[in-house]
């Protein structure tokens, strides 16, 4: 076991996304997962049916205790829900884990359509989370919300990614899952240039938790000393196999198969 990853995110009672998916992904890739839970959700494969937020002081206490005792080689953030939570998380990381590698998944809307980030919290993501992020992992709707740009083409993805880089993120992985066509393209943009990852677009409803899983897998790679390109490449391979071998549970957007693993440089 190598690489301590603190996950700051919401819980998914259905087990396919959120903290549950994060823990499974980190463990499958031989990392050590720790958690600070931001909210409890009542959900299944059809969607989110209820949210119970965790009081901010208790969220901060979770983070502070883990960081002081166990430490972290990387942090992954997921569902943060409100501007108050984003500010508290940013303040805690700045004070307790300055310079830690942060993979920020700007979770805004659940697979079933339920909004998971308050409308007024977008500015907090841009001003507080992005400047701390080693890697930001927006999908197309999230990138559109953060930049105000329409994204229809690969060039649009590139333009939005560069905009987010200019706002402070050290790397941006623009995910192409919402684009059209048989080839799925993800663009990793850094100050040094870009790297395109190509893959087959899979026709399946079993994609619940792909964003959470990918971000946690990237964080695990960074925690284990992989550079950002290698960490993203391994994480994408892990998620691809997890989708292809999904167990078929549920009547809606089913969960992935988190139980497999891949090699360090797959």
């Amino acid at each position: 076991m190598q690489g301590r990853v603190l996950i700051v995110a919401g819980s998914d009672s259905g087990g396919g996304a959120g903290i549950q998916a994060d823990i499974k992904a980190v463990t499958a890739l031989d990392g050590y997962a720790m958690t600070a839970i931001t909210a409890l959700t009542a959900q299944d494969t059809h969607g989110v049916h209820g949210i119970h937020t965790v009081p901010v002081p208790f969220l901060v206490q979770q983070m502070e205790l883990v960081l002081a005792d166990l430490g972290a080689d990387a942090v992954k953030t997921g569902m943060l829900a409100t501007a108050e939570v984003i500010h508290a998380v940013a303040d805690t990381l700045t004070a307790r884990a300055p310079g830690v590698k942060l993979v920020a998944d700007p979770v805004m809307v659940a697979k079933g359509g339920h909004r998971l980030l308050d409308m007024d919290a977008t500015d907090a993501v841009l001003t507080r989370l992005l400047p701390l992020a080693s890697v930001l992992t927006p999908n197309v709707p999230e990138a559109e919300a953060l930049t105000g740009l329409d994204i229809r083409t690969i060039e649009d993805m590139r333009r939005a990614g560069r905009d987010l880089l200019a706002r402070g993120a050290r790397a941006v992985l623009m995910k192409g899952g919402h684009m059209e066509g048989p080839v799925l393209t993800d663009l990793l943009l850094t100050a040094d240039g870009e790297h395109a990852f190509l893959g087959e677009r899979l026709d399946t409803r079993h994609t619940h938790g792909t964003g959470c899983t990918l971000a946690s897998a990237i964080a695990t790679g960074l925690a284990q000393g992989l550079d950002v390109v290698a960490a993203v490449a391994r994480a994408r391979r892990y998620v691809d196999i997890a989708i292809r071998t999904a167990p078929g549970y549920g009547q809606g957007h089913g969960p992935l198969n988190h139980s497999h693993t891949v090699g360090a440089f797959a």
Side-chain angles (χ1 to χ4, degrees), residues 5 21-22 24-27 29 76 103 210-224 226 230-239 258 262:
V5 181
D22 298 322
K24 294 171 190 176
V26 173
T27 302
L29 293 172
K76 180 261 181 174
V103 178
T210 51
C212 304
T213 301
L214 181 68
S216 284
I218 294 170
T220 306
L222 296 180
Q224 293 169 337
L226 298 183
V232 170
R234 184 183 70 166
R236 291 182 79 260
R237 176 61 175 158
Y238 173 74
V239 171
H258 288 95
V262 293

Side-chain angles (χ1 to χ4, degrees), residues 7-12 17-22 36-41 43 76 78-80 212:
I7 304 147
V8 185
S11 169
D12 171 9
I19 286 286
Q20 285 81 353
D22 298 322
I37 298 176
T38 61
L40 307 177
T41 69
Q43 64 178 292
K76 180 261 181 174
M79 176 187 173
L80 300 182
C212 304

